[in-house]
PDB file of all heavy atoms in Angstrom:
ATOM      1  N   LEU A  18     -51.881 -19.139-121.907  1.00 98.00           N
ATOM      2  CA  LEU A  18     -52.887 -19.137-120.870  1.00 98.00           C
ATOM      3  C   LEU A  18     -52.329 -18.469-119.589  1.00 98.00           C
ATOM      4  O   LEU A  18     -51.243 -18.813-119.134  1.00 98.00           O
ATOM      5  CB  LEU A  18     -53.328 -20.567-120.591  1.00 98.00           C
ATOM      6  CG  LEU A  18     -53.849 -21.365-121.727  1.00 98.00           C
ATOM      7  CD1 LEU A  18     -54.188 -22.803-121.253  1.00 98.00           C
ATOM      8  CD2 LEU A  18     -55.131 -20.768-122.294  1.00 98.00           C
ATOM      9  N   LYS A  19     -53.141 -17.565-119.030  1.00 98.00           N
ATOM     10  CA  LYS A  19     -52.759 -16.923-117.712  1.00 98.00           C
ATOM     11  C   LYS A  19     -53.922 -16.947-116.826  1.00 98.00           C
ATOM     12  O   LYS A  19     -55.031 -16.551-117.200  1.00 98.00           O
ATOM     13  CB  LYS A  19     -52.288 -15.509-117.979  1.00 98.00           C
ATOM     14  CG  LYS A  19     -51.026 -15.333-118.800  1.00 98.00           C
ATOM     15  CD  LYS A  19     -50.628 -13.888-118.919  1.00 98.00           C
ATOM     16  CE  LYS A  19     -49.423 -13.690-119.843  1.00 98.00           C
ATOM     17  NZ  LYS A  19     -48.990 -12.292-119.935  1.00 98.00           N
ATOM     18  N   LEU A  20     -53.699 -17.372-115.596  1.00 98.00           N
ATOM     19  CA  LEU A  20     -54.754 -17.377-114.577  1.00 98.00           C
ATOM     20  C   LEU A  20     -54.481 -16.326-113.568  1.00 98.00           C
ATOM     21  O   LEU A  20     -53.482 -16.344-112.832  1.00 98.00           O
ATOM     22  CB  LEU A  20     -54.832 -18.717-113.934  1.00 98.00           C
ATOM     23  CG  LEU A  20     -56.017 -18.828-112.914  1.00 98.00           C
ATOM     24  CD1 LEU A  20     -57.336 -18.988-113.644  1.00 98.00           C
ATOM     25  CD2 LEU A  20     -55.785 -19.997-111.921  1.00 98.00           C
ATOM     26  N   ILE A  36     -55.377 -27.433-112.432  1.00 98.00           N
ATOM     27  CA  ILE A  36     -54.117 -27.213-113.135  1.00 98.00           C
ATOM     28  C   ILE A  36     -52.996 -28.076-112.559  1.00 98.00           C
ATOM     29  O   ILE A  36     -52.218 -28.627-113.247  1.00 98.00           O
ATOM     30  CB  ILE A  36     -53.740 -25.699-113.066  1.00 98.00           C
ATOM     31  CG1 ILE A  36     -54.808 -24.930-113.956  1.00 98.00           C
ATOM     32  CG2 ILE A  36     -52.384 -25.435-113.618  1.00 98.00           C
ATOM     33  CD1 ILE A  36     -54.691 -23.417-113.797  1.00 98.00           C
ATOM     34  N   LEU A  42     -50.842 -28.945-118.719  1.00 97.00           N
ATOM     35  CA  LEU A  42     -51.409 -27.654-118.970  1.00 97.00           C
ATOM     36  C   LEU A  42     -50.351 -26.522-118.584  1.00 97.00           C
ATOM     37  O   LEU A  42     -49.876 -26.595-117.465  1.00 97.00           O
ATOM     38  CB  LEU A  42     -52.669 -27.432-118.194  1.00 97.00           C
ATOM     39  CG  LEU A  42     -53.921 -28.192-118.571  1.00 97.00           C
ATOM     40  CD1 LEU A  42     -54.971 -28.051-117.508  1.00 97.00           C
ATOM     41  CD2 LEU A  42     -54.414 -27.706-119.964  1.00 97.00           C
ATOM     42  N   LYS A  43     -50.046 -25.741-119.576  1.00 97.00           N
ATOM     43  CA  LYS A  43     -49.048 -24.676-119.269  1.00 97.00           C
ATOM     44  C   LYS A  43     -49.803 -23.361-118.993  1.00 97.00           C
ATOM     45  O   LYS A  43     -50.341 -22.780-119.919  1.00 97.00           O
ATOM     46  CB  LYS A  43     -48.109 -24.527-120.414  1.00 97.00           C
ATOM     47  CG  LYS A  43     -47.282 -25.802-120.701  1.00 97.00           C
ATOM     48  CD  LYS A  43     -46.349 -26.182-119.572  1.00 97.00           C
ATOM     49  CE  LYS A  43     -45.743 -27.520-119.833  1.00 97.00           C
ATOM     50  NZ  LYS A  43     -45.627 -28.401-118.661  1.00 97.00           N
ATOM     51  N   VAL A  44     -50.003 -23.070-117.714  1.00 98.00           N
ATOM     52  CA  VAL A  44     -50.786 -21.918-117.325  1.00 98.00           C
ATOM     53  C   VAL A  44     -49.969 -21.021-116.431  1.00 98.00           C
ATOM     54  O   VAL A  44     -49.485 -21.567-115.313  1.00 98.00           O
ATOM     55  CB  VAL A  44     -52.092 -22.289-116.641  1.00 98.00           C
ATOM     56  CG1 VAL A  44     -52.941 -21.039-116.298  1.00 98.00           C
ATOM     57  CG2 VAL A  44     -52.881 -23.228-117.498  1.00 98.00           C
ATOM     58  N   GLU A  45     -49.715 -19.755-116.695  1.00 98.00           N
ATOM     59  CA  GLU A  45     -49.006 -18.857-115.842  1.00 98.00           C
ATOM     60  C   GLU A  45     -49.935 -18.369-114.794  1.00 98.00           C
ATOM     61  O   GLU A  45     -51.079 -17.894-115.214  1.00 98.00           O
ATOM     62  CB  GLU A  45     -48.454 -17.711-116.654  1.00 98.00           C
ATOM     63  CG  GLU A  45     -47.592 -16.822-115.854  1.00 98.00           C
ATOM     64  CD  GLU A  45     -47.100 -15.570-116.642  1.00 98.00           C
ATOM     65  OE1 GLU A  45     -47.295 -15.526-117.829  1.00 98.00           O
ATOM     66  OE2 GLU A  45     -46.463 -14.723-116.029  1.00 98.00           O
ATOM     67  N   GLU A  46     -49.669 -18.530-113.495  1.00 98.00           N
ATOM     68  CA  GLU A  46     -50.619 -18.116-112.433  1.00 98.00           C
ATOM     69  C   GLU A  46     -50.145 -16.739-111.902  1.00 98.00           C
ATOM     70  O   GLU A  46     -48.974 -16.674-111.500  1.00 98.00           O
ATOM     71  CB  GLU A  46     -50.688 -19.184-111.455  1.00 98.00           C
ATOM     72  CG  GLU A  46     -51.204 -20.577-111.958  1.00 98.00           C
ATOM     73  CD  GLU A  46     -51.506 -21.530-110.982  1.00 98.00           C
ATOM     74  OE1 GLU A  46     -51.537 -21.225-109.782  1.00 98.00           O
ATOM     75  OE2 GLU A  46     -51.646 -22.723-111.397  1.00 98.00           O
ATOM     76  N   LEU A  70     -59.218 -16.278-116.477  1.00 98.00           N
ATOM     77  CA  LEU A  70     -58.233 -16.909-117.391  1.00 98.00           C
ATOM     78  C   LEU A  70     -58.141 -16.038-118.616  1.00 98.00           C
ATOM     79  O   LEU A  70     -59.140 -15.639-119.133  1.00 98.00           O
ATOM     80  CB  LEU A  70     -58.694 -18.287-117.727  1.00 98.00           C
ATOM     81  CG  LEU A  70     -57.762 -19.047-118.640  1.00 98.00           C
ATOM     82  CD1 LEU A  70     -56.569 -19.635-117.849  1.00 98.00           C
ATOM     83  CD2 LEU A  70     -58.408 -20.307-119.267  1.00 98.00           C
ATOM     84  N   LEU A  87     -60.228 -25.744-119.823  1.00 98.00           N
ATOM     85  CA  LEU A  87     -58.969 -26.441-119.659  1.00 98.00           C
ATOM     86  C   LEU A  87     -59.059 -27.919-119.928  1.00 98.00           C
ATOM     87  O   LEU A  87     -58.166 -28.586-120.485  1.00 98.00           O
ATOM     88  CB  LEU A  87     -58.439 -26.210-118.187  1.00 98.00           C
ATOM     89  CG  LEU A  87     -58.113 -24.730-117.887  1.00 98.00           C
ATOM     90  CD1 LEU A  87     -57.798 -24.614-116.398  1.00 98.00           C
ATOM     91  CD2 LEU A  87     -56.935 -24.301-118.721  1.00 98.00           C
TER      92      LEU A  87
END
Side-chain angles (χ1 to χ4, degrees):
L18 304 175
K19 294 183 183 180
L20 182 76
I36 293 168
L42 288 168
K43 300 295 173 223
V44 183
E45 183 181 356
E46 298 189 15
L70 181 74
L87 293 174

